[in-house]
Amino acid sequence: MKFLVVFDFDHTLVDENSDTWIVKCAPDEKLPSRLQDSYEKGKWTEYMGRVFKYLGDQGTRQDAMKKIMTTLPLTTGMAELLTFLEQKKDVFDCIIISDSNELFIDWILEGSHFHRVFDKVFTNPAAFDDIGYMTVQNCHAHHCPQCPQNLCKRKVLQEFLDQQVNRNVQYTKVIYVGDGANDLCPVTILKQGDVAMPRHGYALHKKIARMYQDGAPLDSSVKVWSTGIDILSHLQLLLKESIHATPDALK
């Protein structure tokens, strides 16, 4: 018996957008209007590359950026949820699929001491170049018309599940926890028995609700959450139900 819990990062594990949180490093904690206006839909990674160049031009370096990012708060109840998942590593595999970047996620998870909870983090690669400027690249290439050009979370999730099958790991359930519009694509491949967990009032919740109104429900069940405690309670219930459903000889 093994569960996979898939987490988004921004506005899910943490209660802000990590890419906008880094603007606290900028002079007066603001970006110039010309830079803010340079964003093109679907090209967020390129936009963040320009943000990091601007911060580098202002003299912002790794230590200052790391210090700011470690102040980004976890969403209410996430510390309790992650503590539970760390204690149940024999039952729950956990991965992150995020449009943030690997440095931000590493810094925040290490700062909160929860990095050991996660088996894999799939996100945009990031590094510091020879002059100390932060750089970011696209997570991968894909052909999904619904997703931004740098990341299709459905492709990441499907490839991970396929790799796990090749390793003889099959999950009793997949639980997907997210909030954003780009979390809808991976949620649509969840199967009957899996669980989609959209954050209440956020884009994913609204999009799923609209699908049901249009007569196109998901194959998976849907459980809405507001805090990490809501997710924790549901995982505990799933675990209890699965134990009771397991034949005595396999317990």
Side-chain angles (χ1 to χ4, degrees), residues 212-243:
Y212 276 77
Q213 291 169 0
D214 293 341
L218 298 173
D219 291 333
S220 67
S221 63
V222 178
K223 299 294 181 182
V224 179
W225 65 277
S226 295
T227 73
I229 302 301
D230 300 329
I231 303 166
L232 171 58
S233 297
H234 191 64
L235 294 185
Q236 289 172 327
L237 178 62
L238 292 179
L239 185 57
K240 183 178 179 180
E241 290 174 347
S242 294
I243 291 173

Side-chain angles (χ1 to χ4, degrees), residues 184 187-190 196 204 208 211-212 216-222:
L184 181 63
V187 160
T188 60
I189 67 167
L190 297 181
L204 178 61
I208 291 174
M211 289 175 64
Y212 276 77
L218 298 173
D219 291 333
S220 67
S221 63
V222 178

Side-chain angles (χ1 to χ4, degrees), residues 7-90:
F7 286 95
D8 174 46
F9 192 72
D10 293 334
H11 291 294
T12 297
L13 283 168
V14 294
D15 211 16
E16 295 285 347
N17 183 317
S18 55
D19 280 342
T20 56
W21 192 262
I22 198 62
V23 175
K24 292 179 179 291
C25 287
D28 299 322
E29 299 186 5
K30 292 190 300 185
L31 298 176
S33 297
R34 57 175 175 77
L35 179 53
Q36 294 182 53
D37 295 342
S38 72
Y39 169 66
E40 298 178 52
K41 185 177 180 180
K43 297 183 179 181
W44 183 260
T45 307
E46 287 86 343
Y47 169 73
M48 288 308 301
R50 294 191 291 276
V51 171
F52 296 145
K53 183 181 183 304
Y54 171 77
L55 293 176
D57 289 344
Q58 308 310 306
T60 304
R61 295 297 181 264
Q62 181 171 346
D63 288 348
M65 296 175 81
K66 183 176 182 179
K67 184 177 180 181
I68 284 293
M69 294 312 299
T70 55
T71 67
L72 200 163
L74 295 176
T75 299
T76 300
M78 282 298 166
E80 292 87 344
L81 170 61
L82 296 179
T83 298
F84 167 78
L85 289 170
E86 187 169 16
Q87 293 168 348
K88 299 291 185 180
K89 284 298 292 175
D90 58 326

